[in-house]
Amino acid sequence: MAELRPARCGSSARLTAAFLCVFLLVFLRCASASRDVVHPGGSTQEDFLQQHSNSTEHRKAFPVLAFNYEHVRKPFEISLWILLALLMKLGFHIIPRVSHVVPESCLLIVVGLLVGGTIKAMEGAEAPVLDSKLFFLYLLPPIILDAGYFLPIRPFTENMGTILVFAVLGTLWNVFFMGGTMFAVCQIEGAGLGDVDLLSCLLFGSIISAVDPVAVLAVFEEIHINELLHILVFGESLLNDAVTVVLYHLFEEFSHEGSVSIGDALLGVVCFFVVSLGGIMVGFIYGILGAFTSRFTSHTRVIEPLFVFLYSYMAYLSAEVFHLSGIMSLIACGVIMRPYVEANISHKSYTTVKYFLKMWSSVSETLIFIFLGVSTVAGPHDWNWTFVIFTVFLCLVSRVLGVIGLTSIINKFRIVKLTKKDQFIVAYGGLRGAIAFSLGFVLTDSKMKHMFLTAIITVIFFTVFVQGMTIRPLVELLAVKKKKESKGSINEEIHTQFLDHLLTGIEDICGHYGHHHWKDKLNRFNKKYVKKCLIAGERSTEPQLISFYNKMELKQAMMLVESGNAAKLPTVASSVSMQNIQPREPPRRRVIPSVSKSREEEIRKILKANLQNTRQRLRSYSRHDLMIDPFEDNVSEVRLRKQRVAMERRMSHYLTVPANRQEAPPVRKVGFESEHQVFTYDDSESPGDRSVQTKPSSAAVRLLNESPQRPDQSDAEPKPKAQDDQEEQLKLSRCLSDPGPNQEEKES
Amino acid sequence: MGASQTRAANKYQDLTEKTGFSAEQIKNLHTRFQQLSGNEETISRESLENISALSNNPIRKQIIEAFFDKRNQHQNEVGTFQEISFEQFLMVMSHFQPPTLKTTEEEKEAMRKEKLRFLFNMHDTDNDGTITLEEYRKVVEELLSKSGAIGQEAAKAIADAAMLEVASTNVPHMAPDDFYEGITFEHFEQILKGLEMESRMHIRFLDVDTTTMRCGKSTS
């Protein structure tokens, strides 16, 4: 059913998109043109008064409609651009075939090229260029924050050594190799490059060598490569910022002087440590502040996400003030803040943070690529065949050599060695992007700047288009391991923890302080001191396994609630239930597996909020107050009933399938059935009724009420035993759900 | 110097073949063994329990038991030792070796099985070939043993949920009357397939640098 739609949607969407584009472009033209035009009536007070005082004879009519574009020009144009970018993005995803072959970043650059070309073709229109200030202050931080906040910590720290080697040594190698060889190229007679000195070449090298996180993210996210490679390339792109910053400033300072002394070089090394460690320090401080603040937000849940965003942004800006590495500061802030903040903030705030970060980073990324395209068309270019060709070629060569060389050193220290395939992907995935462009853009104006910019743009285009497009088929061809779908298995979590402790113990027996020993020490320190300060309430002493378990329970509850609303059942994966694993015991009151009180409250609230009786409406709604609101979207009872009918029909299919089928365990655990008790058609039916029905029509409804029922139609099962079991089953499930109205008295 | 090296090499030759450690690694481990045993030939449980660093470990008892478990010696015996010799110590340690670049796929498979078997033996304390619900509950309880009261309450629920997961993954359709006896080794392998044991369950046995070993002296 889903396949038929896009065909029709595609063509109509394309038309709509095309129409919108034309419309927007026309608007842009008018917008830019109107700047030169004096505005008609109603503009300023002075004008009006003057007219009034001068010509009292012809009184001007009260302007019913006036055109004042200057007033809103800036926000209007910004919004228009963002809207255009997002519509483009929308368009790509509706057209399915293209997005499989070509990565989104390429398409966006092409759109940028088109828009830039269109603007250039119009006389008097000024294209917005990828201003460095705009890029570094507004477009880049959301992407980095999104990456840093959701950075998978375990693989990152496990591979930290490798990542650092690639980031620092790899970038250094690239810079000096590129700089040196480009200088050699410039010495070639007849290329017209004689006036490019060594320092300028090194400066150019430092701009072009760094792997770009935005481009890497954009391409790697679509190919779903395995976690190790993803974190290696991505981690490298994040951590090489410090090296880039230092080298760039170093060479830029001294390209004016003309030479670099040894003292300056040593200062450069010191500067590197200051920049990177300082950046991390700044991020760390803001992260702790953010975590501490979130401890007290339990009464003002609405503004919780803002704290996360603002503290992180401040960390970035503060680092930039001192010319420290803003990217590393942002990453450090996000990483430090996350575990504590997530333990403190509400579920809704967590979702908000997640979605806002994804949203902003998506918009930023789109805008960056479009602007890159526009700037390409707009910028003054100076094309020099030799320079450009050699740049592209040498970039590739230096990357490959660097990766191979470093891997041979790294593999001596790694347990899980990097194979040739891995090395190839790491080398091939070294994409350059907008950071290089922006750094080149702020160079002081000179003939060389234009040449550099052209070369930079060519390299960016080459890596994004050629490498970006071919990496997917290459990954398929080389059969590189893909990302495994992890479904959050509690067994894996138990055994991960078990393994951690086991390996720490073995290390202690062996008597050597290995990774596990220090990790264990850090964890204990964290648990003993840090968590108590930064996490509110009883969550501070919650062990990790329990939080994981609770998180999974919450997730299952949410999933059921959502599927309940949309009248779609989760696929019945298996018919195994609690009674299959509990050893047979004489029926006695079993201890209800319980979660802590506050957790239960939270889960209960969520279920209540979403499956609540529609009669209960909000009494008051203040703009600054988010109450636990039932059904804000006014679902009418009719619609609800229709949903229920559909749901019951489906459930009855499952339940009346012969003999051995029972409901899926997750359904049982969350007490889905008892929710139905609230919604049943026949309100007169008492929840205590448990008799086995064989009539097909009412079987569906009844079976719903008595869901942990053996659909054993042949035997007259010993009723008391059946009842007992069901009671126990319901009790088992009720700990997490809203108890039916009658049962509550019975229970207590 | 050279003579003692060759003597050491000969002494460890058969151990190298049996356990797969290099001579250097065996030497380091032997030094450690001497430390733990007080220069005796064997170590007992007390010697391991005296390691102060282990006191913070929630599964300390299980780890120590694993050393004295006959099943980990690959001799098809069952039961426990009272004391173990250096060779037996090495056999247990050999479960924690990492794969090298030269390890083939079959060898990796065998390695993974062996490591999983080690873990399985740690859980299956009564050696009946399955991990029952009681045994699994005990495992989770021990893991959470350092977390006080919160841990104890939730341990049961977590163990039940985990057991349920194993059962649903491996035997999807069970009649309501069926009883899932316990996790067999095959099911155990299945459920931990995603963890890539051969790469994760290892520690670094330093080859040449023994300075870190010396630091270890102060801990015991």
Side-chain angles (χ1 to χ4, degrees):
Chain A
M1 195 170 78
E3 281 82 350
L4 293 177
R5 293 259 189 83
R8 267 176 291 137
C9 266
S11 49
S12 62
R14 257 174 262 160
L15 281 176
T16 324
F19 174 69
L20 274 165
C21 284
V22 173
F23 178 70
L24 287 169
L25 285 172
V26 168
F27 224 129
L28 271 172
R29 167 83 178 97
C30 294
S32 39
S34 67
R35 255 179 283 138
D36 312 320
V37 175
V38 176
H39 295 288
S43 42
T44 63
Q45 278 266 344
E46 270 180 30
D47 227 5
F48 181 71
L49 283 172
Q50 207 174 23
Q51 283 190 339
H52 185 76
S53 56
N54 278 349
S55 50
T56 44
E57 305 94 53
H58 18 202
R59 249 182 60 142
K60 260 188 96 175
F62 183 71
V64 174
L65 202 58
F67 183 83
N68 184 0
Y69 182 64
E70 272 307 312
H71 190 51
V72 296
R73 186 165 78 84
K74 217 163 170 22
F76 193 89
E77 285 187 352
I78 295 176
S79 307
L80 208 55
W81 272 104
I82 300 183
L83 196 59
L84 171 72
L86 294 176
L87 284 170
M88 289 299 122
K89 207 176 157 88
L90 196 70
F92 297 144
H93 284 284
I94 295 183
I95 310 172
R97 275 166 285 119
V98 184
S99 56
H100 275 302
V101 178
V102 187
E104 206 177 271
S105 40
C106 303
L107 293 171
L108 289 171
I109 294 185
V110 169
V111 167
L113 286 173
L114 286 173
V115 172
T118 324
I119 293 185
K120 193 158 190 171
M122 297 192 234
E123 296 305 318
E126 208 183 279
V129 196
L130 190 58
D131 182 9
S132 286
K133 190 167 129 185
L134 171 72
F135 176 75
F136 279 114
L137 291 184
Y138 301 112
L139 291 179
L140 189 62
I143 301 180
I144 303 295
L145 180 60
D146 178 38
Y149 197 77
F150 294 110
L151 197 66
I153 293 294
R154 202 170 248 267
F156 189 68
T157 47
E158 279 174 11
N159 295 299
M160 181 67 93
T162 315
I163 294 177
L164 278 175
V165 167
F166 275 131
V168 177
L169 295 180
T171 313
L172 278 174
W173 157 259
N174 277 341
V175 169
F176 286 106
F177 185 81
M178 281 295 298
T181 46
M182 285 315 291
F183 184 60
V185 165
C186 290
Q187 305 303 347
I188 297 177
E189 300 294 331
L193 295 166
D195 53 347
V196 182
D197 59 332
L198 180 62
L199 269 174
S200 308
C201 281
L202 283 173
L203 180 60
F204 177 71
S206 73
I207 298 176
I208 200 73
S209 304
V211 178
D212 186 84
V214 180
V216 165
L217 261 180
V219 170
F220 268 55
E221 240 173 28
E222 296 182 2
I223 60 179
H224 299 299
I225 207 163
N226 70 46
E227 207 174 45
L228 172 67
L229 289 177
H230 186 253
I231 200 70
L232 280 182
V233 182
F234 184 59
E236 179 195 342
S237 69
L238 289 176
L239 295 186
N240 66 19
D241 183 57
V243 183
T244 310
V245 162
V246 170
L247 284 176
Y248 178 76
H249 283 126
L250 188 71
F251 292 130
E252 209 202 9
E253 285 291 316
F254 295 115
S255 65
H256 300 309
E257 315 255 325
S259 68
V260 181
S261 67
I262 298 291
D264 295 324
L266 279 177
L267 276 180
V269 173
V270 174
C271 183
F272 165 70
F273 284 107
V274 169
V275 161
S276 50
L277 294 174
I280 295 180
M281 222 44 265
V282 170
F284 188 81
I285 294 173
Y286 275 99
I288 297 287
L289 278 177
F292 191 64
T293 314
S294 73
R295 184 180 164 179
F296 303 105
T297 55
S298 51
H299 299 290
T300 45
R301 294 281 185 200
V302 193
I303 56 176
E304 271 175 341
L306 275 176
F307 282 118
V308 173
F309 302 140
L310 288 174
Y311 274 111
S312 315
Y313 195 45
M314 293 284 286
Y316 180 77
L317 294 176
S318 310
E320 287 289 323
V321 166
F322 298 103
H323 274 282
L324 303 172
S325 169
I327 290 184
M328 294 184 86
S329 147
L330 204 47
I331 301 281
C333 183
V335 165
I336 297 289
M337 198 163 51
R338 186 180 178 199
Y340 307 109
V341 160
E342 282 193 355
N344 282 331
I345 62 179
S346 73
H347 184 79
K348 279 187 181 156
S349 300
Y350 168 70
T351 312
T352 310
V353 168
K354 189 166 98 168
Y355 279 104
F356 261 86
L357 282 179
K358 296 277 172 216
M359 182 185 82
W360 271 326
S361 70
S362 185
V363 171
S364 278
E365 200 181 289
T366 314
L367 279 174
I368 288 176
F369 284 116
I370 289 192
F371 275 136
L372 206 55
V374 173
S375 310
T376 309
V377 175
H381 289 298
D382 181 12
W383 181 273
N384 184 313
W385 278 101
T386 330
F387 195 75
V388 171
I389 300 287
F390 269 102
T391 307
V392 174
F393 176 68
L394 286 170
C395 263
L396 280 176
V397 168
S398 84
R399 175 85 182 154
V400 171
L401 285 177
V403 168
I404 293 183
L406 286 174
T407 318
S408 61
I409 302 177
I410 291 173
N411 268 346
K412 293 208 176 66
F413 297 99
R414 277 182 69 90
I415 298 289
V416 181
K417 318 277 183 194
L418 293 176
T419 64
K420 289 248 183 304
K421 258 193 258 176
D422 297 336
Q423 291 174 38
F424 175 73
I425 296 289
V426 171
Y428 206 67
L431 307 175
R432 314 308 201 257
I435 291 188
F437 180 79
S438 308
L439 283 177
F441 204 73
V442 283
L443 286 176
T444 48
D445 249 327
S446 66
K447 183 174 153 287
M448 277 190 294
K449 169 178 168 178
H450 299 314
M451 188 171 67
F452 285 172
L453 264 183
T454 313
I456 292 173
I457 289 186
T458 316
V459 173
I460 295 178
F461 272 44
F462 181 81
T463 57
V464 172
F465 278 91
V466 175
Q467 285 178 248
M469 275 204 270
T470 53
I471 203 168
R472 196 202 292 258
L474 275 172
V475 162
E476 305 280 336
L477 194 68
L478 292 174
V480 180
K481 261 191 298 184
K482 292 277 188 116
K483 181 154 69 163
K484 57 173 164 53
E485 293 302 321
S486 65
K487 254 177 296 174
S489 148
I490 184 121
N491 277 296
E492 283 188 3
E493 181 66 24
I494 292 177
H495 280 95
T496 311
Q497 298 238 344
F498 191 82
L499 213 55
D500 274 341
H501 288 297
L502 175 63
L503 293 174
T504 311
I506 298 286
E507 273 189 3
D508 287 332
I509 292 180
C510 271
H512 92 252
Y513 291 156
H515 296 203
H516 291 98
H517 180 93
W518 292 116
K519 207 159 73 154
D520 190 56
K521 263 212 158 99
L522 185 65
N523 276 338
R524 270 185 288 126
F525 173 74
N526 188 18
K527 198 156 102 162
K528 204 160 158 200
Y529 300 111
V530 183
K531 274 192 180 168
K532 290 218 165 63
C533 292
L534 297 179
I535 300 185
E538 59 178 41
R539 292 291 303 273
S540 59
T541 47
E542 198 175 59
Q544 196 190 340
L545 188 58
I546 297 186
S547 356
F548 181 84
Y549 174 68
N550 288 336
K551 222 190 279 187
M552 283 197 58
E553 287 290 304
L554 205 61
K555 235 189 263 181
Q556 277 177 350
M558 293 301 302
M559 192 178 77
L560 263 160
V561 156
E562 279 169 24
S563 68
N565 272 346
K568 253 190 301 162
L569 278 184
T571 46
V572 181
S574 94
S575 58
V576 179
S577 63
M578 286 303 272
Q579 61 194 92
N580 289 111
I581 62 172
Q582 301 284 2
R584 288 297 164 82
E585 288 169 27
R588 57 175 175 81
R589 292 198 160 250
R590 215 168 276 143
V591 177
I592 302 173
S594 63
V595 293
S596 71
K597 277 283 177 279
S598 62
R599 274 288 157 180
E600 194 178 335
E601 269 314 303
E602 202 173 334
I603 296 178
R604 197 178 288 213
K605 260 193 266 181
I606 291 171
L607 290 172
K608 200 186 279 196
N610 286 291
L611 290 178
Q612 188 60 270
N613 202 325
T614 51
R615 279 197 202 99
Q616 188 177 335
R617 294 257 185 266
L618 222 48
R619 224 71 57 73
S620 72
Y621 178 64
S622 128
R623 200 152 55 95
H624 304 287
D625 232 44
L626 260 190
M627 298 174 53
I628 306 287
D629 47 62
F631 276 149
E632 216 180 350
D633 42 357
N634 291 345
V635 178
S636 70
E637 278 195 61
V638 175
R639 198 170 119 207
L640 195 62
R641 284 211 178 165
K642 279 209 195 117
Q643 284 181 349
R644 262 184 278 130
V645 170
M647 204 171 3
E648 278 154 5
R649 221 181 293 135
R650 247 167 279 194
M651 285 206 60
S652 69
H653 168 75
Y654 283 108
L655 290 171
T656 52
V657 170
N660 300 331
R661 298 289 174 261
Q662 281 201 310
E663 289 176 293
V667 175
R668 175 157 296 120
K669 280 190 90 70
V670 192
F672 189 56
E673 324 73 69
S674 54
E675 288 307 319
H676 278 290
Q677 291 187 1
V678 179
F679 288 134
T680 187
Y681 279 133
D682 195 351
D683 286 319
S684 63
E685 205 166 32
S686 76
D689 181 58
R690 304 217 192 277
S691 48
V692 181
Q693 298 286 334
T694 47
K695 282 192 300 213
S697 53
S698 55
V701 179
R702 291 284 165 66
L703 278 168
L704 273 179
N705 285 340
E706 321 147 317
S707 32
Q709 174 79 341
R710 296 149 204 265
D712 211 13
Q713 283 134 353
S714 43
D715 280 325
E717 273 276 274
K719 285 244 179 82
K721 179 161 186 222
Q723 262 193 337
D724 232 325
D725 262 314
Q726 281 142 29
E727 261 185 32
E728 283 172 343
Q729 293 305 335
L730 270 177
K731 272 201 224 96
L732 219 57
S733 55
R734 201 163 292 126
C735 66
L736 288 175
S737 70
D738 213 356
N742 287 359
Q743 299 296 353
E744 202 142 33
E745 299 94 8
K746 239 205 253 177
E747 246 207 1
S748 50
Chain B
M1 199 41 97
S4 65
Q5 291 277 45
T6 41
R7 244 184 293 133
N10 289 334
K11 194 163 60 158
Y12 295 145
Q13 187 62 26
D14 48 341
L15 282 177
T16 309
E17 278 162 18
K18 264 200 222 145
T19 60
F21 282 116
S22 74
E24 196 65 46
Q25 290 169 332
I26 296 182
K27 193 155 75 75
N28 288 343
L29 285 170
H30 194 68
T31 321
R32 179 62 176 171
F33 186 81
Q34 304 281 41
Q35 252 173 38
L36 289 175
S37 68
N39 289 318
E40 304 275 317
E41 286 300 315
T42 60
I43 54 175
S44 64
R45 285 187 177 78
E46 285 75 42
S47 357
L48 289 182
E49 276 166 16
N50 284 334
I51 303 176
S52 57
L54 264 188
S55 59
N56 286 317
N57 203 316
I59 55 171
R60 186 168 68 118
K61 279 202 287 287
Q62 275 91 326
I63 298 178
I64 295 179
E65 267 314 305
F67 275 91
F68 294 89
D69 193 339
K70 282 191 186 165
R71 287 175 292 179
N72 290 330
Q73 298 296 329
H74 299 281
Q75 307 273 2
N76 290 328
E77 293 174 1
V78 290
T80 57
F81 294 110
Q82 286 305 317
E83 297 186 333
I84 54 172
S85 67
F86 180 58
E87 190 178 320
Q88 289 157 334
F89 180 76
L90 269 191
M91 269 311 287
V92 174
M93 283 298 186
S94 71
H95 287 98
F96 294 95
Q97 280 173 320
T100 64
L101 261 178
K102 300 195 198 70
T103 330
T104 62
E105 278 307 313
E106 297 89 46
E107 283 173 1
K108 277 197 190 152
E109 219 17 77
M111 213 181 225
R112 188 185 315 159
K113 245 193 164 74
E114 198 181 295
K115 298 189 185 206
L116 282 175
R117 188 86 226 174
F118 186 85
L119 281 182
F120 191 81
N121 289 342
M122 280 183 85
H123 297 326
D124 182 21
T125 43
D126 58 1
N127 195 26
D128 59 354
T130 57
I131 305 178
T132 61
L133 188 59
E134 279 309 315
E135 287 170 342
Y136 211 27
R137 271 190 192 151
K138 190 130 198 333
V139 171
V140 180
E141 264 169 34
E142 288 293 316
L143 261 185
L144 294 173
S145 60
K146 295 275 173 191
S147 323
I150 307 178
Q152 297 310 331
E153 287 165 23
K156 265 206 164 67
I158 296 177
D160 289 347
M163 196 73 170
L164 196 58
E165 195 184 79
V166 179
S168 354
T169 326
N170 285 303
V171 193
H173 300 294
M174 293 180 74
D177 289 336
D178 287 349
F179 177 56
Y180 184 67
E181 292 294 334
I183 310 177
T184 61
F185 186 59
E186 287 75 34
H187 295 175
F188 192 68
E189 271 184 297
Q190 183 67 19
I191 202 81
L192 292 184
K193 205 167 47 170
L195 276 184
E196 282 185 13
M197 276 299 162
E198 73 272 13
S199 329
R200 290 186 74 155
M201 184 164 144
H202 65 81
I203 68 171
R204 293 166 183 268
F205 294 102
L206 301 176
D207 275 302
V208 187
D209 186 10
T210 51
T211 51
T212 330
M213 296 290 284
R214 304 269 158 70
C215 290
K217 262 195 198 149
S218 52
T219 61
S220 59

